[in-house]
């Protein structure tokens, strides 16, 4: 069971079996039902998450109370690192399961200690943070400079078949458009 995170870690940066074993020793597995919150703004959260199976999203609420999708996380990926989604130990993002998800968790404090003690794990953690930052920058550039059709095409490339797996309102929100605009773009493709 613990071996389920090896492909995820090694897809970021290969680590030795010795370092992988240290990570695996800290892992706990959870199944989370569709619609359940994994993290909630203002609530304590001290976990790192490895998404084994399923789809989830990070989001916030706008002034009208509508959800604004920030990121999607697909099977075999890492959810935004603890240090990028918390402040003073409390979540600054909501994370919701959009399908039933199987997730591996690690206490963030224990993982941070591993990063200090093990160079390979430190390199893995730093690579995850750099990747997270670049994803945010590319999304920001796309929202600021690309027409809707190009944003939809980039989404399809990055998340193949996502349109058949989750709500179109979640996708439209992520793309910075209404569901009606997205529907029009989909019919043109």
């Amino acid at each position: 069971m613990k071996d389920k995170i090896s492909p995820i870690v090694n897809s970021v940066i290969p680590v030795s079996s010795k370092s992988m074993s240290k990570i695996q020793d800290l892992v706990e597995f959870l199944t989370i039902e569709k619609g359940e919150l994994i993290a909630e703004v203002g609530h304590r959260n001290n976990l790192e998450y490895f998404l084994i199976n399923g789809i989830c999203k990070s989001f916030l609420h706008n002034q009208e109370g509508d959800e604004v999708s920030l990121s999607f996380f697909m099977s075999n990926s890492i959810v935004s690192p603890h240090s990028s989604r918390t402040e003073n130990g409390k979540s600054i993002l909501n994370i919701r399961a959009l399908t039933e998800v199987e997730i591996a968790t690690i206490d963030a404090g224990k993982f941070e200690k591993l990063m200090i003690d093990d160079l390979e794990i430190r390199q893995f953690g730093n690579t995850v943070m750099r990747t997270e930052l670049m994803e945010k920058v590319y999304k920001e550039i796309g929202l600021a400079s690309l027409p809707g059709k190009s944003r939809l095409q980039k989404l399809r490339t990055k998340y193949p078949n996502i349109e058949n797996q989750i709500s179109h309102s979640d996708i439209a929100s992520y793309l910075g458009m209404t569901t009606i605009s997205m529907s029009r773009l989909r019919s043109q493709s």
Side-chain angles (χ1 to χ4, degrees), residues 55 72 74 155-156 159-166 171:
I55 304 171
F72 294 118
M74 309 295 280
L155 173 103
R156 288 174 171 165
Y159 305 111
N161 204 32
I162 195 169
E163 292 168 88
N164 298 323
Q165 298 175 310
I166 66 170
I171 295 170

Side-chain angles (χ1 to χ4, degrees), residues 52-185:
I52 307 300
N53 194 26
I55 304 171
C56 58
K57 73 170 184 173
S58 62
F59 69 98
L60 292 170
H61 290 97
N62 65 17
Q63 291 178 339
E64 290 81 36
D66 299 323
E67 290 184 6
V68 178
S69 300
L70 302 174
S71 299
F72 294 118
F73 305 96
M74 309 295 280
S75 297
N76 297 309
S77 67
I78 297 168
V79 175
S80 298
H82 177 265
S83 61
S84 72
R85 61 180 163 73
T86 60
E87 186 174 55
N88 299 319
K90 293 184 179 181
S91 185
I92 58 172
L93 300 174
N94 299 299
I95 301 172
R96 173 176 290 133
L98 299 179
T99 64
E100 180 179 276
V101 299
E102 181 184 1
I103 205 158
T105 66
I106 297 178
D107 179 275
K110 291 178 182 178
F111 187 75
E112 186 175 345
K113 183 170 178 359
L114 279 183
M115 286 180 60
I116 292 166
D117 296 341
D118 186 303
L119 179 60
E120 285 184 312
I121 296 172
R122 183 178 325 134
Q123 290 172 332
F124 164 75
N126 289 339
T127 302
V128 169
M129 282 299 290
R130 275 193 304 278
T131 302
E132 174 79 2
L133 176 61
M134 291 310 300
E135 292 288 330
K136 304 276 188 239
V137 168
Y138 288 138
K139 182 176 182 220
E140 190 174 322
I141 290 169
L143 285 172
S145 65
L146 294 176
K149 189 172 186 176
S150 296
R151 294 194 310 267
L152 179 59
Q153 187 54 47
K154 282 190 169 287
L155 173 103
R156 288 174 171 165
T157 301
K158 183 174 181 181
Y159 305 111
N161 204 32
I162 195 169
E163 292 168 88
N164 298 323
Q165 298 175 310
I166 66 170
S167 161
H168 288 177
S169 61
D170 287 326
I171 295 170
S173 168
Y174 174 83
L175 295 172
M177 62 181 69
T178 66
T179 51
I180 294 169
S181 295
M182 187 179 121
S183 180
R184 285 187 191 128
L185 290 173

